[in-house]
Amino acid sequence: MWPLLSSGAGLLLLLLWARYKGLAYVLVHHRWVFVCLFLLPLSVLFDVYYHLRAWVVQRLHSAPRQHHQRVRNIQAQVREWKKEGQKTYMCTGRPGWLTVSLRVGKYKKTHKNISISLMDVLGVDTERKVVFVEPLVTMGQLTAHLNPMGWTIPVVPELDDLTVGGLIMGTGIESSSHIYGLFQHTCTAYELVLADGSHVRCSPEENADLFYAVPWSCGTLGFLVSAEIKIIPAKKYVKLHYEPVRGLKAICKRFLEESENRDNHFVEGLVYSLEEAVIMTGVLTDEVVQGKINRIGNYYKPWFFKHVENYLKADKIGTEYIPARHYYHRHTRSIFWELQDIIPFGNNPVFRYLFGWMVPPKISLLKLTQGEAIRKLYEQHHVVQDMMIPMKSLAKCITTFHSDIKVYPLWLCPFILPNNPGMIHPKGNEAELYVDVGAYGEPKTKHFEAMASTRQIEKFVRNVHGFQMLYADCYMTREEFWEMFDGSLYHKLRKKLQCTDAFPEVYDKICKAARH
């Protein structure tokens, strides 16, 4: 009884303090109060609902039957739009705040919203080694469905709430991408509803131009209604090796060596300063050494990036066995390292043991409740960027990031970029090893200015024939954007499929002016 009374008294005092200071002040300067009291419990309810829904659908085997009806409903909405005279562009009706991207698109308010409720796993074909999914299936949902069956997908992008559709229409990457490429390169077919209401399938053998043009198009060629993705046999654990490396030249050399070693199933780097990093390599295994198992995904465990940093501080190498699903979602609980800016004490052992089971708050709820003051604060004093550059330019890239924004840790993730048609491909005629450099956090440079600093980095990335992930703030002009990306196939398909009156151009959906 006494703990309950103490908690009630504490909550009452907190509410009185919030009333005294004002809600706006608390939301801006002490956001953790609102997040802990409201968003964490609400996030748990969201998860419970979606898990129960997925379980019921799987048990009733209703997804394939309902899928066909839902696709017909989307076709009917598109045809109705045509009958009404095609007065505005079309877009998906999914609220902008539900996406995992940093900003909310303004176009949702002015375009024709097409309702697309496609969020189920449709089936698994173990003979062909593919899984059929709808576009709103999340990574957490998909691994939970496949792993008990002994399967997984080759590239499992980090955060639980990332959707298949977002990873295809945008992009997705993981520490296995040095072998398999980006998420789009593990897909074998897509189905779309086009601007005329027709339903088409595309693959490397069927409607190949459309198949290669869809990735990175952000829904501007049609509505994705399903995808076929490769699957590979799953194992129970990842044997993960940690190696601290010092000196920028040594970091880049070691990271390249491990990225080129195909015996490594996973390669990842966390750069903690200009001269300090930990390089991690992993292999899937069913055999473990007792006493070295680390269930890093358990709610009471330290955040992964802090756990990795301990190897750097101790200046020692190490090896652990991490349950495979824990490894796939190792950065989820701390949203990489973004949560430390929202809940500064979130990695404290007391908080983890008492409230860690509710972490992380849904990114969508954080966006929905951030308000104009927080949005502007984040825009001017916070960086969330992923820049994909050739591996040979890694040292220059880290130096550029250090000079222009000075955000640490930096996330390094290698990937092989095949010479396929589409918006991104290597400069030469052969596949090339690239690396995604992710910067998430508060810039520490005194001269940081959001637009100017980001444009400097964008210019560097264009000059080395790299690419910017489209979820992030993009300050490029239209001309600079199409200098970075190859729009030849994309524009050809836009004209052929009569998209110019149906969907905005991709630049008009992702540029800074189109988002808030």
Side-chain angles (χ1 to χ4, degrees):
M1 188 65 180
W2 174 246
L4 188 62
L5 289 172
S6 299
S7 299
L11 180 59
L12 179 61
L13 289 172
L14 197 60
L15 291 174
L16 289 172
W17 170 77
R19 183 178 179 183
Y20 170 75
K21 284 290 189 180
L23 183 60
Y25 175 88
V26 172
L27 288 177
V28 172
H29 298 282
H30 302 279
R31 198 179 183 197
W32 61 267
V33 175
F34 182 72
V35 170
C36 292
L37 290 180
F38 300 102
L39 295 194
L40 286 181
L42 197 55
S43 297
V44 171
L45 293 177
F46 261 62
D47 281 337
V48 169
Y49 167 75
Y50 282 111
H51 285 145
L52 281 175
R53 185 194 176 282
W55 181 81
V56 169
V57 169
Q58 185 178 354
R59 290 291 178 180
L60 295 178
H61 303 287
S62 61
R65 182 179 67 255
Q66 292 179 348
H67 173 73
H68 298 302
Q69 180 55 48
R70 289 169 182 160
V71 171
R72 285 193 292 269
N73 178 259
I74 293 168
Q75 291 178 279
Q77 292 179 72
V78 173
R79 288 167 182 154
E80 182 63 27
W81 166 82
K82 286 180 70 68
K83 285 182 182 179
E84 292 173 352
Q86 306 177 196
K87 297 174 183 177
T88 62
Y89 289 134
M90 291 183 290
C91 66
T92 65
R94 190 185 189 207
W97 60 269
L98 272 176
T99 64
V100 180
S101 61
L102 187 66
R103 306 291 181 213
V104 177
K106 299 176 183 177
Y107 59 86
K108 293 281 186 180
K109 297 179 180 179
T110 57
H111 294 180
K112 171 70 173 179
N113 282 221
I114 303 298
S115 176
I116 298 180
S117 300
L118 300 169
M119 57 184 74
D120 296 319
V121 178
L122 299 174
V124 178
D125 186 335
T126 55
E127 290 187 8
R128 290 184 54 218
K129 296 183 179 180
V130 292
V131 58
F132 307 93
V133 297
E134 292 179 328
L136 296 182
V137 168
T138 67
M139 289 300 98
Q141 179 185 352
L142 188 53
T143 54
H145 186 98
L146 289 174
N147 289 171
M149 302 169 64
W151 297 92
T152 187
I153 54 176
V155 175
V156 186
E158 266 303 325
L159 303 179
D160 282 18
D161 290 341
L162 292 170
T163 64
V164 168
L167 295 167
I168 292 170
M169 291 296 186
T171 195
I173 191 171
E174 186 41 70
S175 54
S176 57
S177 288
H178 66 297
I179 298 175
Y180 299 104
L182 299 174
F183 187 84
Q184 69 199 59
H185 300 128
T186 68
C187 298
T188 55
Y190 311 124
E191 291 187 4
L192 297 97
V193 171
L194 302 181
D196 62 357
S198 61
H199 177 205
V200 300
R201 186 178 190 273
C202 59
S203 69
E205 297 78 32
E206 179 184 5
N207 296 313
D209 278 357
L210 181 59
F211 176 79
Y212 290 116
V214 163
W216 294 75
S217 66
C218 296
T220 59
L221 293 173
F223 295 109
L224 183 70
V225 294
S226 75
E228 184 180 287
I229 308 168
K230 296 175 186 176
I231 57 174
I232 58 175
K235 293 190 177 181
K236 294 179 181 178
Y237 295 91
V238 172
K239 181 182 179 182
L240 194 63
H241 180 75
Y242 304 84
E243 180 183 354
V245 185
R246 286 180 165 80
L248 180 59
K249 186 176 179 180
I251 291 169
C252 296
K253 181 176 181 292
R254 193 77 186 108
F255 190 70
L256 172 62
E257 291 171 350
E258 297 294 4
S259 300
E260 290 180 330
N261 183 359
R262 294 180 68 87
D263 289 336
N264 292 325
H265 298 164
F266 307 99
V267 179
E268 175 184 25
L270 294 186
V271 181
Y272 290 91
S273 75
L274 185 61
E275 301 290 335
E276 297 177 308
V278 177
I279 309 298
M280 289 160 280
T281 57
V283 293
L284 288 163
T285 182
D286 286 322
E287 299 176 358
V288 300
V289 175
Q290 293 302 321
K292 288 195 171 185
I293 298 174
N294 184 0
R295 303 184 187 280
I296 195 68
N298 286 349
Y299 70 89
Y300 51 83
K301 287 284 189 174
W303 290 344
F304 184 71
F305 79 97
K306 287 294 188 183
H307 172 66
V308 174
E309 190 176 17
N310 288 333
Y311 287 94
L312 184 66
K313 290 179 177 178
D315 196 24
K316 66 176 184 179
I317 63 173
T319 300
E320 293 181 325
Y321 294 82
I322 300 177
R325 193 155 185 266
H326 288 216
Y327 175 81
Y328 287 138
H329 303 288
R330 63 198 177 281
H331 291 299
T332 292
R333 289 189 301 121
S334 56
I335 317 178
F336 282 87
W337 30 95
E338 287 279 64
L339 198 57
Q340 66 181 349
D341 292 332
I342 300 170
I343 307 177
F345 48 83
N347 195 47
N348 183 284
V350 175
F351 181 87
R352 292 200 314 264
Y353 274 89
L354 293 178
F355 306 107
W357 57 276
M358 292 193 288
V359 167
K362 291 288 183 185
I363 295 175
S364 53
L365 294 179
L366 289 171
K367 284 166 60 179
L368 180 65
T369 59
Q370 67 180 358
E372 188 65 15
I374 296 177
R375 185 190 66 76
K376 288 183 177 179
L377 190 69
Y378 264 64
E379 184 176 312
Q380 293 302 321
H381 303 284
H382 200 83
V383 168
V384 179
Q385 291 284 349
D386 279 90
M387 298 295 185
M388 305 169 127
I389 49 103
M391 182 68 77
K392 60 191 177 188
S393 301
L394 178 56
K396 289 182 180 178
C397 185
I398 293 175
T399 303
T400 300
F401 273 52
H402 181 82
S403 172
D404 291 334
I405 57 176
K406 203 174 182 180
V407 170
Y408 292 103
L410 293 175
W411 188 55
L412 304 184
C413 187
F415 69 98
I416 192 72
L417 183 61
N419 188 32
N420 291 339
M423 285 179 61
I424 68 164
H425 51 74
K427 194 172 184 178
N429 296 321
E430 297 182 356
E432 184 176 350
L433 191 61
Y434 271 59
V435 56
D436 174 28
V437 181
Y440 327 116
E442 183 181 350
K444 301 301 182 183
T445 52
K446 294 180 180 179
H447 60 271
F448 176 79
E449 197 281 318
M451 182 175 179
S453 300
T454 305
R455 281 187 56 76
Q456 279 291 109
I457 293 175
E458 290 170 342
K459 181 180 179 180
F460 166 80
V461 173
R462 288 197 307 276
N463 288 341
V464 298
H465 196 71
F467 313 97
Q468 179 184 30
M469 281 199 188
L470 302 184
Y471 76 88
D473 286 346
C474 171
Y475 290 94
M476 289 184 285
T477 65
R478 191 182 304 272
E479 291 73 22
E480 290 167 340
F481 180 84
W482 289 119
E483 179 187 336
M484 177 180 284
F485 296 97
D486 182 353
S488 55
L489 180 61
Y490 171 77
H491 290 301
K492 173 186 170 184
L493 267 293
R494 289 264 299 169
K495 185 176 180 180
K496 178 182 177 181
L497 301 177
Q498 302 175 353
C499 296
T500 52
D501 293 326
F503 306 104
E505 187 183 294
V506 60
Y507 175 79
D508 294 315
K509 289 187 74 172
I510 64 88
C511 68
K512 187 64 182 69
R515 293 168 167 172
H516 62 81

